[in-house]
Amino acid sequence: MPKTIGGTEFRKMILSGAKVLEINRTKVDSLNVFPVPDGDTGTNMSLTIQSAVKELGLCPSNRLSELCDAVSKGALKGARGNSGVILSQLFRGICAEIKNGEEVTIKGFAKAMENGTKVAYSAVSKPKEGTMLTVARLMSEFAKQSASRYKDFAEFLTDVIKKGEEALAQTPELLPVLKKAGVVDSGGMGLLCIYKGFLAVLNGEEVEEYVALEAGKSEEDVFGDNSDIINLDLGEIEFAYCTEFFIINLKKSTTLADIDKLKEKLMKIGDSVICIGDLELVKVHVHTNTPGLALTYAVELGELDRVKIENMLEQNRALRAKREAEKKEMGMLAICTGEGIAAIFKDLLVDRVIEGGQTMNPSAEDIADAVQKINAEHVFVFPNNKNIILAAEQAKALVQNRTIHVIPTKNVPQGFAAALAFNSECSAEENKTDMIHSIDNVRAGQVTYAVRATSVNGFSLKEGDIIGLDDKKILAKGNNVDDTMLSLIDRLKDSSHEIITLYYGKDVKEEDAQALVERVSEKFPDCDVDVHFGGQPIYYYIVSLE
């Protein structure tokens, strides 16, 4: 029976944890407090650990130190949503504790769990009990107190998981909103799935190969790329000279095998190798630090023609100089869904817009990559969703040569207000202050539909009910979208509001939106009412009151 775990077991444990979580992803997603069609805790946690798995796949060693670095790095890069960020920090704390040895004892793992909990709590500005943090903490406290009683790692982890299940069952008592919704904490459930995957390895159960969940369109913006060549990532150049030439009048002794051997030689002295042709003509391309050697190899086969050698270091210096000359002091990045919403942000001079919202949270790496493509010293990031704010904060650790300022916008209208507050004549700190103040003056809500029957916020809901909510709770319900929208505005509005703006989603017709504007204008004659195409999924309308 295992008393310790080494690098091989640790690698298998991460793979198995990811597998078990992915199998239960839909179940974890369904444990959303609000019965709205955007539960994504399981998806976010799965994408986060799968990023760690991907990094593990690039690690050729089974030394714990290298495996731990890969897991920490991968989880941070892939962290999505609050649950994914917290999970990445749990891994970071655990890995920091176990990376310095060749194997991990039960006591050592208990200490690592304690450190993981500490790091995860510190990543959240206002930790809430009744969440996955509580489950992690109670598991780590039990582990620390009882580790010395165990000689078998599997028995230890079995009892740790039992304690976690007890903690998960108690989450509704600690967080009233869970109790009202009749669910346990989804993040805690996801964490237990991972630990059950760990245990499967220690029990000798075979880890199946699995297909990673696709992260969506994270490689490039769904809304298009408004960058140009100065926004390319200008890394260090390993091979300085782009070398191109033809070999003509090949020697009678030259064979096709000699051409293949030339390609092999070139690959040993550089990269980006092209070596194609026949006994009449051969075309060669290679990036290398020894262009003379490439020519020497080639001349053994025949005569050289049209030789071209370019200094890529100088080209790179020129590109860097151009980029530096055109660098501005401040830029803006917005995260949203809906082509209409994206177009409005661009009209407000936001430099880049990447896709993300309730249904698909971008990772910390996605946000960092987008920031790197903005040629500015200071970049203001508008998450526009409370579940993306933490990932935006984590992106700071992944960005070089830029300062990220996360403006904690919880919805799109707050993002619009923050972008409108930008003044290029002011300093970055002044802009940050003005942006944060501007979002205090906005009240926002959304109208969507219930995906299950439940009782929450004083409403008894059945599947398919139309509901109106703000960032914290459900405020209205009805049988149709328009009446629910009017009820929601009535709950949101106070005497200070003068402007009501509606943004209609992709499932709403323009003429229906215009008809609703007339009804809103009639009911609230003291306000100017406007409407714009948002194109957002899931939410029929987003409403802003200012």
Side-chain angles (χ1 to χ4, degrees):
M1 304 293 278
K3 294 183 178 181
T4 62
I5 56 174
T8 303
E9 290 79 19
F10 182 67
R11 182 191 285 270
K12 289 181 180 178
M13 286 166 69
I14 297 295
L15 292 170
S16 180
K19 172 64 176 174
V20 175
L21 177 58
E22 175 57 17
I23 290 170
N24 292 279
R25 173 173 57 87
T26 304
K27 183 179 179 182
V28 176
D29 278 345
S30 70
L31 294 174
N32 199 16
V33 170
F34 291 132
V36 293
D38 57 19
D40 54 6
T41 297
T43 299
N44 284 337
M45 293 180 73
S46 188
L47 287 168
T48 299
I49 192 171
Q50 285 175 19
S51 181
V53 167
K54 181 180 178 182
E55 206 71 34
L56 270 182
L58 301 174
C59 181
S61 167
N62 267 344
R63 292 177 65 87
L64 266 176
S65 58
E66 294 177 42
L67 292 172
C68 285
D69 285 343
V71 170
S72 293
K73 179 182 176 184
L76 174 60
K77 288 166 68 175
R80 294 170 187 268
N82 294 343
S83 57
V85 170
I86 290 170
L87 180 62
S88 75
Q89 297 306 297
L90 283 169
F91 278 142
R92 179 183 158 208
I94 289 170
C95 289
E97 192 64 41
I98 67 175
K99 66 180 288 185
N100 295 321
E102 293 300 318
E103 55 184 20
V104 187
T105 63
I106 294 171
K107 283 185 179 180
F109 195 79
K111 190 175 180 182
M113 288 178 66
E114 181 185 27
N115 194 50
T117 300
K118 179 182 176 183
V119 173
Y121 265 86
S122 66
V124 182
S125 57
K126 294 180 180 178
K128 277 187 179 179
E129 296 303 331
T131 65
M132 66 185 288
L133 286 170
T134 304
V135 177
R137 178 174 58 78
L138 293 177
M139 287 169 70
S140 65
E141 287 175 357
F142 171 80
K144 182 183 178 184
Q145 292 163 5
S146 61
S148 59
R149 301 202 302 265
Y150 293 89
K151 293 182 179 179
D152 176 55
F153 221 120
E155 287 181 11
F156 164 70
L157 213 53
T158 298
D159 288 348
V160 166
I161 290 170
K162 284 181 184 175
K163 187 65 180 180
E165 288 172 337
E166 292 173 12
L168 182 65
Q170 286 299 309
T171 55
E173 302 303 320
L174 296 171
L175 203 58
V177 69
L178 294 175
K179 191 170 186 177
K180 288 180 182 177
V183 295
V184 294
D185 179 66
S186 54
M189 170 74 83
L191 184 61
L192 282 176
C193 288
I194 293 170
Y195 269 86
K196 287 175 181 177
F198 291 174
L199 179 60
V201 173
L202 298 183
N203 282 331
E205 296 174 16
E206 192 66 31
V207 181
E208 297 176 26
E209 188 175 340
Y210 74 101
V211 178
L213 178 67
E214 284 299 318
K217 299 177 181 178
S218 62
E219 289 300 314
E220 193 45 77
D221 302 335
V222 172
F223 302 120
D225 184 356
N226 56 348
S227 64
D228 56 26
I229 193 169
I230 65 167
N231 286 326
L232 295 174
D233 181 18
L234 301 177
E236 295 303 317
I237 290 179
E238 183 178 0
F239 297 107
Y241 299 99
C242 176
T243 306
E244 292 180 285
F245 53 86
F246 290 92
I247 306 174
I248 61 173
N249 298 328
L250 279 79
K251 296 176 181 179
K252 290 181 180 180
S253 58
T254 300
T255 65
L256 291 174
D258 291 329
I259 298 174
D260 291 335
K261 288 178 183 176
L262 172 62
K263 183 176 182 178
E264 291 174 9
K265 288 180 178 178
L266 294 173
M267 290 176 72
K268 290 179 180 178
I269 63 168
D271 64 8
S272 301
V273 174
I274 298 172
C275 185
I276 54 175
D278 51 30
L279 296 178
E280 296 294 323
L281 178 73
V282 179
K283 176 178 173 57
V284 175
H285 173 280
V286 60
H287 293 171
T288 178
N289 289 326
T290 52
L293 193 54
L295 299 177
T296 299
Y297 291 152
V299 83
E300 294 174 2
L301 276 60
E303 299 173 5
L304 303 180
D305 186 42
R306 283 184 273 174
V307 177
K308 184 175 76 169
I309 301 174
E310 293 183 340
N311 184 343
M312 294 190 296
L313 283 173
E314 184 58 29
Q315 292 175 340
N316 188 262
R317 288 188 200 102
L319 202 53
R320 285 176 182 272
K322 181 177 185 290
R323 183 171 183 171
E324 197 59 37
E326 296 179 1
K327 191 172 186 177
K328 57 184 181 178
E329 185 183 359
M330 293 171 286
M332 294 183 282
L333 169 70
I335 302 162
C336 67
T337 54
E339 57 183 290
I341 300 293
I344 293 170
F345 272 118
K346 288 181 180 179
D347 287 342
L348 295 174
L349 304 181
V350 167
D351 296 89
R352 288 184 79 81
V353 179
I354 60 172
E355 186 180 38
Q358 278 298 93
T359 52
M360 189 65 221
N361 299 151
S363 68
E365 186 177 31
D366 293 336
I367 296 169
D369 287 347
V371 167
Q372 288 285 169
K373 292 175 182 175
I374 297 175
N375 194 20
E377 186 176 342
H378 296 270
V379 178
F380 301 101
V381 177
F382 310 137
N384 301 326
N385 186 293
K386 62 184 178 183
N387 204 34
I388 299 177
I389 294 173
L390 263 184
E393 291 286 354
Q394 294 300 311
K396 293 177 180 178
L398 302 174
V399 167
Q400 296 178 334
N401 305 321
R402 281 161 186 66
T403 301
I404 291 181
H405 303 277
V406 178
I407 310 301
T409 54
K410 295 180 179 179
N411 50 61
V412 164
Q414 286 186 345
F416 289 155
L420 279 166
F422 176 70
N423 184 345
S424 60
E425 303 297 316
C426 295
S427 68
E429 283 304 317
E430 288 172 320
N431 270 301
K432 183 177 180 179
T433 301
D434 291 344
M435 288 174 175
I436 291 173
H437 283 321
S438 73
I439 66 179
D440 293 335
N441 300 322
V442 179
R443 286 215 71 185
Q446 306 91 31
V447 173
T448 184
Y449 57 93
V451 294
R452 69 169 190 273
T454 187
S455 293
V456 62
N457 301 137
F459 292 96
S460 180
L461 303 174
K462 61 181 184 295
E463 185 178 342
D465 279 348
I466 306 300
I467 51 177
L469 58 160
D470 63 8
D471 291 316
K472 295 180 180 178
K473 58 185 178 180
I474 296 172
L475 299 174
K477 85 160 187 173
N479 296 320
N480 65 71
V481 172
D482 288 11
D483 288 345
T484 306
M485 184 79 257
L486 289 166
S487 297
L488 176 62
I489 294 173
D490 204 29
R491 290 291 307 275
L492 291 172
K493 186 179 178 302
D494 63 37
S495 58
S496 68
H497 294 135
E498 299 175 348
I499 302 170
I500 299 173
T501 307
L502 304 177
Y503 303 93
Y504 63 94
K506 68 175 186 177
D507 296 322
V508 177
K509 296 177 182 177
E510 184 179 0
E511 54 266 33
D512 292 338
Q514 292 293 346
L516 178 58
V517 167
E518 292 181 15
R519 289 188 63 187
V520 174
S521 298
E522 286 177 19
K523 185 167 183 179
F524 305 101
D526 56 328
C527 289
D528 291 330
V529 183
D530 199 5
V531 65
H532 299 280
F533 170 64
Q536 69 275 5
I538 293 179
Y539 295 98
Y540 300 113
Y541 287 97
I542 297 172
V543 62
S544 170
L545 293 89
E546 299 174 72

